[in-house]
mmCIF file with all atom_site columns, all heavy atoms in Angstrom:
data_model
loop_
_atom_site.group_PDB
_atom_site.id
_atom_site.type_symbol
_atom_site.label_atom_id
_atom_site.label_alt_id
_atom_site.label_comp_id
_atom_site.label_asym_id
_atom_site.label_entity_id
_atom_site.label_seq_id
_atom_site.pdbx_PDB_ins_code
_atom_site.Cartn_x
_atom_site.Cartn_y
_atom_site.Cartn_z
_atom_site.occupancy
_atom_site.B_iso_or_equiv
_atom_site.pdbx_formal_charge
_atom_site.auth_seq_id
_atom_site.auth_comp_id
_atom_site.auth_asym_id
_atom_site.auth_atom_id
_atom_site.pdbx_PDB_model_num
ATOM 1   N N   . LYS E 1 1  ? 7.562  -17.212 9.004   1.00 60.00 ? 1  LYS E N   1
ATOM 2   C CA  . LYS E 1 1  ? 7.908  -18.142 7.933   1.00 60.00 ? 1  LYS E CA  1
ATOM 3   C C   . LYS E 1 1  ? 8.099  -17.449 6.588   1.00 60.00 ? 1  LYS E C   1
ATOM 4   O O   . LYS E 1 1  ? 8.441  -18.081 5.606   1.00 60.00 ? 1  LYS E O   1
ATOM 5   C CB  . LYS E 1 1  ? 6.818  -19.210 7.775   1.00 60.00 ? 1  LYS E CB  1
ATOM 6   C CG  . LYS E 1 1  ? 6.552  -20.052 9.021   1.00 60.00 ? 1  LYS E CG  1
ATOM 7   C CD  . LYS E 1 1  ? 7.767  -20.880 9.394   1.00 60.00 ? 1  LYS E CD  1
ATOM 8   C CE  . LYS E 1 1  ? 8.431  -20.310 10.631  1.00 60.00 ? 1  LYS E CE  1
ATOM 9   N NZ  . LYS E 1 1  ? 9.776  -20.827 10.854  1.00 60.00 ? 1  LYS E NZ  1
ATOM 10  N N   . LEU E 1 2  ? 7.806  -16.127 6.521   1.00 61.00 ? 2  LEU E N   1
ATOM 11  C CA  . LEU E 1 2  ? 7.962  -15.422 5.256   1.00 61.00 ? 2  LEU E CA  1
ATOM 12  C C   . LEU E 1 2  ? 9.439  -15.213 4.932   1.00 61.00 ? 2  LEU E C   1
ATOM 13  O O   . LEU E 1 2  ? 10.281 -15.133 5.831   1.00 61.00 ? 2  LEU E O   1
ATOM 14  C CB  . LEU E 1 2  ? 7.278  -14.055 5.315   1.00 61.00 ? 2  LEU E CB  1
ATOM 15  C CG  . LEU E 1 2  ? 5.752  -14.055 5.379   1.00 61.00 ? 2  LEU E CG  1
ATOM 16  C CD1 . LEU E 1 2  ? 5.247  -12.626 5.517   1.00 61.00 ? 2  LEU E CD1 1
ATOM 17  C CD2 . LEU E 1 2  ? 5.148  -14.707 4.156   1.00 61.00 ? 2  LEU E CD2 1
ATOM 18  N N   . PRO E 1 3  ? 9.777  -15.108 3.636   1.00 79.00 ? 3  PRO E N   1
ATOM 19  C CA  . PRO E 1 3  ? 11.153 -14.763 3.287   1.00 79.00 ? 3  PRO E CA  1
ATOM 20  C C   . PRO E 1 3  ? 11.497 -13.391 3.847   1.00 79.00 ? 3  PRO E C   1
ATOM 21  O O   . PRO E 1 3  ? 10.615 -12.560 4.054   1.00 79.00 ? 3  PRO E O   1
ATOM 22  C CB  . PRO E 1 3  ? 11.129 -14.727 1.749   1.00 79.00 ? 3  PRO E CB  1
ATOM 23  C CG  . PRO E 1 3  ? 9.938  -15.534 1.365   1.00 79.00 ? 3  PRO E CG  1
ATOM 24  C CD  . PRO E 1 3  ? 8.938  -15.318 2.448   1.00 79.00 ? 3  PRO E CD  1
ATOM 25  N N   . PRO E 1 4  ? 12.774 -13.107 4.101   1.00 84.00 ? 4  PRO E N   1
ATOM 26  C CA  . PRO E 1 4  ? 13.155 -11.788 4.592   1.00 84.00 ? 4  PRO E CA  1
ATOM 27  C C   . PRO E 1 4  ? 12.740 -10.698 3.612   1.00 84.00 ? 4  PRO E C   1
ATOM 28  O O   . PRO E 1 4  ? 12.719 -10.899 2.406   1.00 84.00 ? 4  PRO E O   1
ATOM 29  C CB  . PRO E 1 4  ? 14.684 -11.875 4.700   1.00 84.00 ? 4  PRO E CB  1
ATOM 30  C CG  . PRO E 1 4  ? 14.973 -13.340 4.798   1.00 84.00 ? 4  PRO E CG  1
ATOM 31  C CD  . PRO E 1 4  ? 13.923 -14.021 3.975   1.00 84.00 ? 4  PRO E CD  1
ATOM 32  N N   . ALA E 1 5  ? 12.401 -9.521  4.142   1.00 88.00 ? 5  ALA E N   1
ATOM 33  C CA  . ALA E 1 5  ? 12.017 -8.396  3.293   1.00 88.00 ? 5  ALA E CA  1
ATOM 34  C C   . ALA E 1 5  ? 13.212 -7.953  2.459   1.00 88.00 ? 5  ALA E C   1
ATOM 35  O O   . ALA E 1 5  ? 14.271 -7.635  2.989   1.00 88.00 ? 5  ALA E O   1
ATOM 36  C CB  . ALA E 1 5  ? 11.520 -7.235  4.158   1.00 88.00 ? 5  ALA E CB  1
ATOM 37  N N   . SER E 1 6  ? 13.058 -7.950  1.134   1.00 92.00 ? 6  SER E N   1
ATOM 38  C CA  . SER E 1 6  ? 14.124 -7.545  0.232   1.00 92.00 ? 6  SER E CA  1
ATOM 39  C C   . SER E 1 6  ? 13.494 -7.105  -1.074  1.00 92.00 ? 6  SER E C   1
ATOM 40  O O   . SER E 1 6  ? 12.296 -7.312  -1.315  1.00 92.00 ? 6  SER E O   1
ATOM 41  C CB  . SER E 1 6  ? 15.085 -8.718  -0.037  1.00 92.00 ? 6  SER E CB  1
ATOM 42  O OG  . SER E 1 6  ? 14.417 -9.749  -0.761  1.00 92.00 ? 6  SER E OG  1
ATOM 43  N N   . TRP E 1 7  ? 14.295 -6.512  -1.959  1.00 94.00 ? 7  TRP E N   1
ATOM 44  C CA  . TRP E 1 7  ? 13.731 -6.098  -3.245  1.00 94.00 ? 7  TRP E CA  1
ATOM 45  C C   . TRP E 1 7  ? 13.383 -7.318  -4.081  1.00 94.00 ? 7  TRP E C   1
ATOM 46  O O   . TRP E 1 7  ? 12.439 -7.290  -4.873  1.00 94.00 ? 7  TRP E O   1
ATOM 47  C CB  . TRP E 1 7  ? 14.676 -5.155  -3.987  1.00 94.00 ? 7  TRP E CB  1
ATOM 48  C CG  . TRP E 1 7  ? 15.955 -5.766  -4.533  1.00 94.00 ? 7  TRP E CG  1
ATOM 49  C CD1 . TRP E 1 7  ? 17.186 -5.721  -3.980  1.00 94.00 ? 7  TRP E CD1 1
ATOM 50  C CD2 . TRP E 1 7  ? 16.098 -6.488  -5.769  1.00 94.00 ? 7  TRP E CD2 1
ATOM 51  N NE1 . TRP E 1 7  ? 18.105 -6.377  -4.771  1.00 94.00 ? 7  TRP E NE1 1
ATOM 52  C CE2 . TRP E 1 7  ? 17.467 -6.853  -5.887  1.00 94.00 ? 7  TRP E CE2 1
ATOM 53  C CE3 . TRP E 1 7  ? 15.222 -6.856  -6.783  1.00 94.00 ? 7  TRP E CE3 1
ATOM 54  C CZ2 . TRP E 1 7  ? 17.961 -7.573  -6.985  1.00 94.00 ? 7  TRP E CZ2 1
ATOM 55  C CZ3 . TRP E 1 7  ? 15.709 -7.574  -7.872  1.00 94.00 ? 7  TRP E CZ3 1
ATOM 56  C CH2 . TRP E 1 7  ? 17.064 -7.918  -7.962  1.00 94.00 ? 7  TRP E CH2 1
ATOM 57  N N   . GLN E 1 8  ? 14.147 -8.417  -3.905  1.00 93.00 ? 8  GLN E N   1
ATOM 58  C CA  . GLN E 1 8  ? 13.811 -9.640  -4.635  1.00 93.00 ? 8  GLN E CA  1
ATOM 59  C C   . GLN E 1 8  ? 12.441 -10.175 -4.207  1.00 93.00 ? 8  GLN E C   1
ATOM 60  O O   . GLN E 1 8  ? 11.636 -10.609 -5.032  1.00 93.00 ? 8  GLN E O   1
ATOM 61  C CB  . GLN E 1 8  ? 14.880 -10.714 -4.395  1.00 93.00 ? 8  GLN E CB  1
ATOM 62  C CG  . GLN E 1 8  ? 16.247 -10.371 -4.963  1.00 93.00 ? 8  GLN E CG  1
ATOM 63  C CD  . GLN E 1 8  ? 17.166 -9.753  -3.936  1.00 93.00 ? 8  GLN E CD  1
ATOM 64  O OE1 . GLN E 1 8  ? 16.710 -9.086  -3.001  1.00 93.00 ? 8  GLN E OE1 1
ATOM 65  N NE2 . GLN E 1 8  ? 18.469 -9.972  -4.101  1.00 93.00 ? 8  GLN E NE2 1
ATOM 66  N N   . THR E 1 9  ? 12.196 -10.155 -2.889  1.00 91.00 ? 9  THR E N   1
ATOM 67  C CA  . THR E 1 9  ? 10.902 -10.600 -2.385  1.00 91.00 ? 9  THR E CA  1
ATOM 68  C C   . THR E 1 9  ? 9.778  -9.717  -2.930  1.00 91.00 ? 9  THR E C   1
ATOM 69  O O   . THR E 1 9  ? 8.736  -10.205 -3.366  1.00 91.00 ? 9  THR E O   1
ATOM 70  C CB  . THR E 1 9  ? 10.887 -10.573 -0.848  1.00 91.00 ? 9  THR E CB  1
ATOM 71  O OG1 . THR E 1 9  ? 11.937 -11.397 -0.348  1.00 91.00 ? 9  THR E OG1 1
ATOM 72  C CG2 . THR E 1 9  ? 9.557  -11.060 -0.304  1.00 91.00 ? 9  THR E CG2 1
ATOM 73  N N   . SER E 1 10 ? 10.002 -8.389  -2.905  1.00 93.00 ? 10 SER E N   1
ATOM 74  C CA  . SER E 1 10 ? 8.989  -7.455  -3.415  1.00 93.00 ? 10 SER E CA  1
ATOM 75  C C   . SER E 1 10 ? 8.712  -7.698  -4.893  1.00 93.00 ? 10 SER E C   1
ATOM 76  O O   . SER E 1 10 ? 7.548  -7.703  -5.328  1.00 93.00 ? 10 SER E O   1
ATOM 77  C CB  . SER E 1 10 ? 9.468  -6.012  -3.207  1.00 93.00 ? 10 SER E CB  1
ATOM 78  O OG  . SER E 1 10 ? 9.662  -5.737  -1.836  1.00 93.00 ? 10 SER E OG  1
ATOM 79  N N   . PHE E 1 11 ? 9.762  -7.922  -5.670  1.00 95.00 ? 11 PHE E N   1
ATOM 80  C CA  . PHE E 1 11 ? 9.604  -8.188  -7.102  1.00 95.00 ? 11 PHE E CA  1
ATOM 81  C C   . PHE E 1 11 ? 8.774  -9.444  -7.326  1.00 95.00 ? 11 PHE E C   1
ATOM 82  O O   . PHE E 1 11 ? 7.866  -9.471  -8.158  1.00 95.00 ? 11 PHE E O   1
ATOM 83  C CB  . PHE E 1 11 ? 10.991 -8.332  -7.740  1.00 95.00 ? 11 PHE E CB  1
ATOM 84  C CG  . PHE E 1 11 ? 10.964 -8.602  -9.224  1.00 95.00 ? 11 PHE E CG  1
ATOM 85  C CD1 . PHE E 1 11 ? 10.470 -7.653  -10.102 1.00 95.00 ? 11 PHE E CD1 1
ATOM 86  C CD2 . PHE E 1 11 ? 11.441 -9.803  -9.732  1.00 95.00 ? 11 PHE E CD2 1
ATOM 87  C CE1 . PHE E 1 11 ? 10.452 -7.889  -11.478 1.00 95.00 ? 11 PHE E CE1 1
ATOM 88  C CE2 . PHE E 1 11 ? 11.429 -10.056 -11.099 1.00 95.00 ? 11 PHE E CE2 1
ATOM 89  C CZ  . PHE E 1 11 ? 10.929 -9.087  -11.967 1.00 95.00 ? 11 PHE E CZ  1
ATOM 90  N N   . GLY E 1 12 ? 9.064  -10.490 -6.573  1.00 92.00 ? 12 GLY E N   1
ATOM 91  C CA  . GLY E 1 12 ? 8.307  -11.725 -6.711  1.00 92.00 ? 12 GLY E CA  1
ATOM 92  C C   . GLY E 1 12 ? 6.865  -11.586 -6.275  1.00 92.00 ? 12 GLY E C   1
ATOM 93  O O   . GLY E 1 12 ? 5.957  -12.166 -6.877  1.00 92.00 ? 12 GLY E O   1
ATOM 94  N N   . LEU E 1 13 ? 6.612  -10.770 -5.233  1.00 90.00 ? 13 LEU E N   1
ATOM 95  C CA  . LEU E 1 13 ? 5.245  -10.568 -4.771  1.00 90.00 ? 13 LEU E CA  1
ATOM 96  C C   . LEU E 1 13 ? 4.382  -9.902  -5.837  1.00 90.00 ? 13 LEU E C   1
ATOM 97  O O   . LEU E 1 13 ? 3.164  -10.087 -5.868  1.00 90.00 ? 13 LEU E O   1
ATOM 98  C CB  . LEU E 1 13 ? 5.235  -9.734  -3.487  1.00 90.00 ? 13 LEU E CB  1
ATOM 99  C CG  . LEU E 1 13 ? 5.702  -10.441 -2.214  1.00 90.00 ? 13 LEU E CG  1
ATOM 100 C CD1 . LEU E 1 13 ? 5.721  -9.477  -1.035  1.00 90.00 ? 13 LEU E CD1 1
ATOM 101 C CD2 . LEU E 1 13 ? 4.819  -11.637 -1.896  1.00 90.00 ? 13 LEU E CD2 1
ATOM 102 N N   . GLY E 1 14 ? 5.017  -9.132  -6.720  1.00 92.00 ? 14 GLY E N   1
ATOM 103 C CA  . GLY E 1 14 ? 4.264  -8.533  -7.817  1.00 92.00 ? 14 GLY E CA  1
ATOM 104 C C   . GLY E 1 14 ? 3.651  -9.588  -8.723  1.00 92.00 ? 14 GLY E C   1
ATOM 105 O O   . GLY E 1 14 ? 2.496  -9.467  -9.148  1.00 92.00 ? 14 GLY E O   1
ATOM 106 N N   . PHE E 1 15 ? 4.417  -10.642 -9.015  1.00 91.00 ? 15 PHE E N   1
ATOM 107 C CA  . PHE E 1 15 ? 3.885  -11.732 -9.850  1.00 91.00 ? 15 PHE E CA  1
ATOM 108 C C   . PHE E 1 15 ? 2.850  -12.555 -9.090  1.00 91.00 ? 15 PHE E C   1
ATOM 109 O O   . PHE E 1 15 ? 1.851  -12.993 -9.662  1.00 91.00 ? 15 PHE E O   1
ATOM 110 C CB  . PHE E 1 15 ? 5.030  -12.621 -10.336 1.00 91.00 ? 15 PHE E CB  1
ATOM 111 C CG  . PHE E 1 15 ? 5.892  -11.976 -11.383 1.00 91.00 ? 15 PHE E CG  1
ATOM 112 C CD1 . PHE E 1 15 ? 7.091  -11.365 -11.041 1.00 91.00 ? 15 PHE E CD1 1
ATOM 113 C CD2 . PHE E 1 15 ? 5.495  -11.947 -12.707 1.00 91.00 ? 15 PHE E CD2 1
ATOM 114 C CE1 . PHE E 1 15 ? 7.883  -10.765 -12.004 1.00 91.00 ? 15 PHE E CE1 1
ATOM 115 C CE2 . PHE E 1 15 ? 6.283  -11.352 -13.681 1.00 91.00 ? 15 PHE E CE2 1
ATOM 116 C CZ  . PHE E 1 15 ? 7.478  -10.755 -13.329 1.00 91.00 ? 15 PHE E CZ  1
ATOM 117 N N   . ILE E 1 16 ? 3.091  -12.755 -7.789  1.00 83.00 ? 16 ILE E N   1
ATOM 118 C CA  . ILE E 1 16 ? 2.121  -13.501 -6.988  1.00 83.00 ? 16 ILE E CA  1
ATOM 119 C C   . ILE E 1 16 ? 0.797  -12.752 -6.931  1.00 83.00 ? 16 ILE E C   1
ATOM 120 O O   . ILE E 1 16 ? -0.283 -13.348 -6.971  1.00 83.00 ? 16 ILE E O   1
ATOM 121 C CB  . ILE E 1 16 ? 2.667  -13.754 -5.572  1.00 83.00 ? 16 ILE E CB  1
ATOM 122 C CG1 . ILE E 1 16 ? 3.825  -14.745 -5.626  1.00 83.00 ? 16 ILE E CG1 1
ATOM 123 C CG2 . ILE E 1 16 ? 1.574  -14.294 -4.657  1.00 83.00 ? 16 ILE E CG2 1
ATOM 124 C CD1 . ILE E 1 16 ? 4.446  -15.046 -4.278  1.00 83.00 ? 16 ILE E CD1 1
ATOM 125 N N   . SER E 1 17 ? 0.850  -11.417 -6.857  1.00 82.00 ? 17 SER E N   1
ATOM 126 C CA  . SER E 1 17 ? -0.377 -10.626 -6.755  1.00 82.00 ? 17 SER E CA  1
ATOM 127 C C   . SER E 1 17 ? -1.218 -10.705 -8.024  1.00 82.00 ? 17 SER E C   1
ATOM 128 O O   . SER E 1 17 ? -2.401 -10.344 -8.010  1.00 82.00 ? 17 SER E O   1
ATOM 129 C CB  . SER E 1 17 ? -0.050 -9.157  -6.446  1.00 82.00 ? 17 SER E CB  1
ATOM 130 O OG  . SER E 1 17 ? 0.548  -8.516  -7.558  1.00 82.00 ? 17 SER E OG  1
ATOM 131 N N   . ALA E 1 18 ? -0.619 -11.169 -9.139  1.00 81.00 ? 18 ALA E N   1
ATOM 132 C CA  . ALA E 1 18 ? -1.395 -11.363 -10.359 1.00 81.00 ? 18 ALA E CA  1
ATOM 133 C C   . ALA E 1 18 ? -2.304 -12.581 -10.266 1.00 81.00 ? 18 ALA E C   1
ATOM 134 O O   . ALA E 1 18 ? -3.274 -12.696 -11.020 1.00 81.00 ? 18 ALA E O   1
ATOM 135 C CB  . ALA E 1 18 ? -0.461 -11.506 -11.563 1.00 81.00 ? 18 ALA E CB  1
ATOM 136 N N   . VAL E 1 19 ? -1.992 -13.485 -9.346  1.00 70.00 ? 19 VAL E N   1
ATOM 137 C CA  . VAL E 1 19 ? -2.770 -14.713 -9.187  1.00 70.00 ? 19 VAL E CA  1
ATOM 138 C C   . VAL E 1 19 ? -3.516 -14.708 -7.863  1.00 70.00 ? 19 VAL E C   1
ATOM 139 O O   . VAL E 1 19 ? -4.683 -15.091 -7.787  1.00 70.00 ? 19 VAL E O   1
ATOM 140 C CB  . VAL E 1 19 ? -1.850 -15.949 -9.268  1.00 70.00 ? 19 VAL E CB  1
ATOM 141 C CG1 . VAL E 1 19 ? -2.660 -17.226 -9.143  1.00 70.00 ? 19 VAL E CG1 1
ATOM 142 C CG2 . VAL E 1 19 ? -1.055 -15.940 -10.568 1.00 70.00 ? 19 VAL E CG2 1
ATOM 143 N N   . PHE E 1 20 ? -2.836 -14.272 -6.796  1.00 67.00 ? 20 PHE E N   1
ATOM 144 C CA  . PHE E 1 20 ? -3.447 -14.184 -5.471  1.00 67.00 ? 20 PHE E CA  1
ATOM 145 C C   . PHE E 1 20 ? -3.712 -12.716 -5.170  1.00 67.00 ? 20 PHE E C   1
ATOM 146 O O   . PHE E 1 20 ? -2.870 -11.856 -5.420  1.00 67.00 ? 20 PHE E O   1
ATOM 147 C CB  . PHE E 1 20 ? -2.526 -14.771 -4.404  1.00 67.00 ? 20 PHE E CB  1
ATOM 148 C CG  . PHE E 1 20 ? -2.327 -16.255 -4.540  1.00 67.00 ? 20 PHE E CG  1
ATOM 149 C CD1 . PHE E 1 20 ? -1.173 -16.844 -4.081  1.00 67.00 ? 20 PHE E CD1 1
ATOM 150 C CD2 . PHE E 1 20 ? -3.286 -17.050 -5.132  1.00 67.00 ? 20 PHE E CD2 1
ATOM 151 C CE1 . PHE E 1 20 ? -0.979 -18.215 -4.186  1.00 67.00 ? 20 PHE E CE1 1
ATOM 152 C CE2 . PHE E 1 20 ? -3.112 -18.420 -5.250  1.00 67.00 ? 20 PHE E CE2 1
ATOM 153 C CZ  . PHE E 1 20 ? -1.954 -19.004 -4.779  1.00 67.00 ? 20 PHE E CZ  1
ATOM 154 N N   . ASP E 1 21 ? -4.856 -12.436 -4.596  1.00 64.00 ? 21 ASP E N   1
ATOM 155 C CA  . ASP E 1 21 ? -5.278 -11.062 -4.338  1.00 64.00 ? 21 ASP E CA  1
ATOM 156 C C   . ASP E 1 21 ? -4.211 -10.277 -3.575  1.00 64.00 ? 21 ASP E C   1
ATOM 157 O O   . ASP E 1 21 ? -3.625 -10.763 -2.611  1.00 64.00 ? 21 ASP E O   1
ATOM 158 C CB  . ASP E 1 21 ? -6.590 -11.077 -3.547  1.00 64.00 ? 21 ASP E CB  1
ATOM 159 C CG  . ASP E 1 21 ? -7.247 -9.715  -3.511  1.00 64.00 ? 21 ASP E CG  1
ATOM 160 O OD1 . ASP E 1 21 ? -6.861 -8.916  -2.639  1.00 64.00 ? 21 ASP E OD1 1
ATOM 161 O OD2 . ASP E 1 21 ? -8.118 -9.453  -4.351  1.00 64.00 ? 21 ASP E OD2 1
ATOM 162 N N   . ASN E 1 22 ? -3.982 -9.021  -4.001  1.00 74.00 ? 22 ASN E N   1
ATOM 163 C CA  . ASN E 1 22 ? -2.919 -8.233  -3.386  1.00 74.00 ? 22 ASN E CA  1
ATOM 164 C C   . ASN E 1 22 ? -3.270 -7.706  -1.998  1.00 74.00 ? 22 ASN E C   1
ATOM 165 O O   . ASN E 1 22 ? -2.397 -7.275  -1.255  1.00 74.00 ? 22 ASN E O   1
ATOM 166 C CB  . ASN E 1 22 ? -2.500 -7.072  -4.294  1.00 74.00 ? 22 ASN E CB  1
ATOM 167 C CG  . ASN E 1 22 ? -3.642 -6.146  -4.663  1.00 74.00 ? 22 ASN E CG  1
ATOM 168 O OD1 . ASN E 1 22 ? -4.766 -6.283  -4.170  1.00 74.00 ? 22 ASN E OD1 1
ATOM 169 N ND2 . ASN E 1 22 ? -3.373 -5.196  -5.526  1.00 74.00 ? 22 ASN E ND2 1
ATOM 170 N N   . ILE E 1 23 ? -4.562 -7.742  -1.631  1.00 74.00 ? 23 ILE E N   1
ATOM 171 C CA  . ILE E 1 23 ? -4.953 -7.275  -0.305  1.00 74.00 ? 23 ILE E CA  1
ATOM 172 C C   . ILE E 1 23 ? -4.321 -8.137  0.796   1.00 74.00 ? 23 ILE E C   1
ATOM 173 O O   . ILE E 1 23 ? -3.639 -7.617  1.688   1.00 74.00 ? 23 ILE E O   1
ATOM 174 C CB  . ILE E 1 23 ? -6.488 -7.262  -0.159  1.00 74.00 ? 23 ILE E CB  1
ATOM 175 C CG1 . ILE E 1 23 ? -7.134 -6.365  -1.223  1.00 74.00 ? 23 ILE E CG1 1
ATOM 176 C CG2 . ILE E 1 23 ? -6.892 -6.832  1.236   1.00 74.00 ? 23 ILE E CG2 1
ATOM 177 C CD1 . ILE E 1 23 ? -6.822 -4.911  -1.076  1.00 74.00 ? 23 ILE E CD1 1
ATOM 178 N N   . PRO E 1 24 ? -4.515 -9.460  0.780   1.00 72.00 ? 24 PRO E N   1
ATOM 179 C CA  . PRO E 1 24 ? -3.892 -10.266 1.837   1.00 72.00 ? 24 PRO E CA  1
ATOM 180 C C   . PRO E 1 24 ? -2.374 -10.279 1.763   1.00 72.00 ? 24 PRO E C   1
ATOM 181 O O   . PRO E 1 24 ? -1.699 -10.383 2.792   1.00 72.00 ? 24 PRO E O   1
ATOM 182 C CB  . PRO E 1 24 ? -4.470 -11.662 1.615   1.00 72.00 ? 24 PRO E CB  1
ATOM 183 C CG  . PRO E 1 24 ? -4.955 -11.681 0.206   1.00 72.00 ? 24 PRO E CG  1
ATOM 184 C CD  . PRO E 1 24 ? -5.407 -10.282 -0.074  1.00 72.00 ? 24 PRO E CD  1
ATOM 185 N N   . LEU E 1 25 ? -1.798 -10.156 0.557   1.00 78.00 ? 25 LEU E N   1
ATOM 186 C CA  . LEU E 1 25 ? -0.340 -10.099 0.456   1.00 78.00 ? 25 LEU E CA  1
ATOM 187 C C   . LEU E 1 25 ? 0.190  -8.859  1.171   1.00 78.00 ? 25 LEU E C   1
ATOM 188 O O   . LEU E 1 25 ? 1.209  -8.902  1.860   1.00 78.00 ? 25 LEU E O   1
ATOM 189 C CB  . LEU E 1 25 ? 0.080  -10.074 -1.022  1.00 78.00 ? 25 LEU E CB  1
ATOM 190 C CG  . LEU E 1 25 ? -0.100 -11.372 -1.811  1.00 78.00 ? 25 LEU E CG  1
ATOM 191 C CD1 . LEU E 1 25 ? 0.303  -11.157 -3.268  1.00 78.00 ? 25 LEU E CD1 1
ATOM 192 C CD2 . LEU E 1 25 ? 0.710  -12.500 -1.205  1.00 78.00 ? 25 LEU E CD2 1
ATOM 193 N N   . THR E 1 26 ? -0.512 -7.738  0.997   1.00 84.00 ? 26 THR E N   1
ATOM 194 C CA  . THR E 1 26 ? -0.113 -6.506  1.679   1.00 84.00 ? 26 THR E CA  1
ATOM 195 C C   . THR E 1 26 ? -0.257 -6.652  3.184   1.00 84.00 ? 26 THR E C   1
ATOM 196 O O   . THR E 1 26 ? 0.600  -6.191  3.948   1.00 84.00 ? 26 THR E O   1
ATOM 197 C CB  . THR E 1 26 ? -0.965 -5.328  1.180   1.00 84.00 ? 26 THR E CB  1
ATOM 198 O OG1 . THR E 1 26 ? -0.832 -5.207  -0.242  1.00 84.00 ? 26 THR E OG1 1
ATOM 199 C CG2 . THR E 1 26 ? -0.529 -4.025  1.833   1.00 84.00 ? 26 THR E CG2 1
ATOM 200 N N   . ALA E 1 27 ? -1.337 -7.300  3.610   1.00 79.00 ? 27 ALA E N   1
ATOM 201 C CA  . ALA E 1 27 ? -1.538 -7.518  5.044   1.00 79.00 ? 27 ALA E CA  1
ATOM 202 C C   . ALA E 1 27 ? -0.398 -8.340  5.638   1.00 79.00 ? 27 ALA E C   1
ATOM 203 O O   . ALA E 1 27 ? 0.095  -8.043  6.737   1.00 79.00 ? 27 ALA E O   1
ATOM 204 C CB  . ALA E 1 27 ? -2.881 -8.207  5.284   1.00 79.00 ? 27 ALA E CB  1
ATOM 205 N N   . LEU E 1 28 ? 0.049  -9.369  4.921   1.00 80.00 ? 28 LEU E N   1
ATOM 206 C CA  . LEU E 1 28 ? 1.173  -10.179 5.391   1.00 80.00 ? 28 LEU E CA  1
ATOM 207 C C   . LEU E 1 28 ? 2.447  -9.347  5.489   1.00 80.00 ? 28 LEU E C   1
ATOM 208 O O   . LEU E 1 28 ? 3.196  -9.427  6.473   1.00 80.00 ? 28 LEU E O   1
ATOM 209 C CB  . LEU E 1 28 ? 1.392  -11.363 4.452   1.00 80.00 ? 28 LEU E CB  1
ATOM 210 C CG  . LEU E 1 28 ? 0.386  -12.508 4.512   1.00 80.00 ? 28 LEU E CG  1
ATOM 211 C CD1 . LEU E 1 28 ? 0.676  -13.518 3.410   1.00 80.00 ? 28 LEU E CD1 1
ATOM 212 C CD2 . LEU E 1 28 ? 0.420  -13.188 5.873   1.00 80.00 ? 28 LEU E CD2 1
ATOM 213 N N   . ALA E 1 29 ? 2.707  -8.533  4.453   1.00 86.00 ? 29 ALA E N   1
ATOM 214 C CA  . ALA E 1 29 ? 3.923  -7.723  4.440   1.00 86.00 ? 29 ALA E CA  1
ATOM 215 C C   . ALA E 1 29 ? 3.913  -6.694  5.565   1.00 86.00 ? 29 ALA E C   1
ATOM 216 O O   . ALA E 1 29 ? 4.946  -6.425  6.190   1.00 86.00 ? 29 ALA E O   1
ATOM 217 C CB  . ALA E 1 29 ? 4.066  -7.031  3.083   1.00 86.00 ? 29 ALA E CB  1
ATOM 218 N N   . LEU E 1 30 ? 2.749  -6.113  5.840   1.00 86.00 ? 30 LEU E N   1
ATOM 219 C CA  . LEU E 1 30 ? 2.651  -5.128  6.914   1.00 86.00 ? 30 LEU E CA  1
ATOM 220 C C   . LEU E 1 30 ? 2.900  -5.772  8.273   1.00 86.00 ? 30 LEU E C   1
ATOM 221 O O   . LEU E 1 30 ? 3.536  -5.177  9.144   1.00 86.00 ? 30 LEU E O   1
ATOM 222 C CB  . LEU E 1 30 ? 1.273  -4.467  6.889   1.00 86.00 ? 30 LEU E CB  1
ATOM 223 C CG  . LEU E 1 30 ? 1.044  -3.437  5.782   1.00 86.00 ? 30 LEU E CG  1
ATOM 224 C CD1 . LEU E 1 30 ? -0.424 -3.059  5.691   1.00 86.00 ? 30 LEU E CD1 1
ATOM 225 C CD2 . LEU E 1 30 ? 1.902  -2.192  6.029   1.00 86.00 ? 30 LEU E CD2 1
ATOM 226 N N   . THR E 1 31 ? 2.396  -6.970  8.449   1.00 81.00 ? 31 THR E N   1
ATOM 227 C CA  . THR E 1 31 ? 2.610  -7.668  9.711   1.00 81.00 ? 31 THR E CA  1
ATOM 228 C C   . THR E 1 31 ? 4.084  -8.007  9.892   1.00 81.00 ? 31 THR E C   1
ATOM 229 O O   . THR E 1 31 ? 4.640  -7.907  10.985  1.00 81.00 ? 31 THR E O   1
ATOM 230 C CB  . THR E 1 31 ? 1.770  -8.957  9.757   1.00 81.00 ? 31 THR E CB  1
ATOM 231 O OG1 . THR E 1 31 ? 0.396  -8.617  9.542   1.00 81.00 ? 31 THR E OG1 1
ATOM 232 C CG2 . THR E 1 31 ? 1.905  -9.642  11.104  1.00 81.00 ? 31 THR E CG2 1
#
């Protein structure tokens, strides 16, 4: 259900990591 991996997605994840912990975000991206 995640958006396709792209630089836009990565850029947005940077802002999300300011509010939601970056550990689980990284785990999702790795999966």
Side-chain angles (χ1 to χ4, degrees):
K1 301 296 107 195
L2 291 177
S6 66
W7 70 261
Q8 294 96 330
T9 302
S10 299
F11 180 65
L13 287 177
F15 288 98
I16 291 179
S17 70
V19 182
F20 293 153
D21 193 276
N22 57 6
I23 302 293
L25 289 177
T26 303
L28 287 174
L30 285 169
T31 304

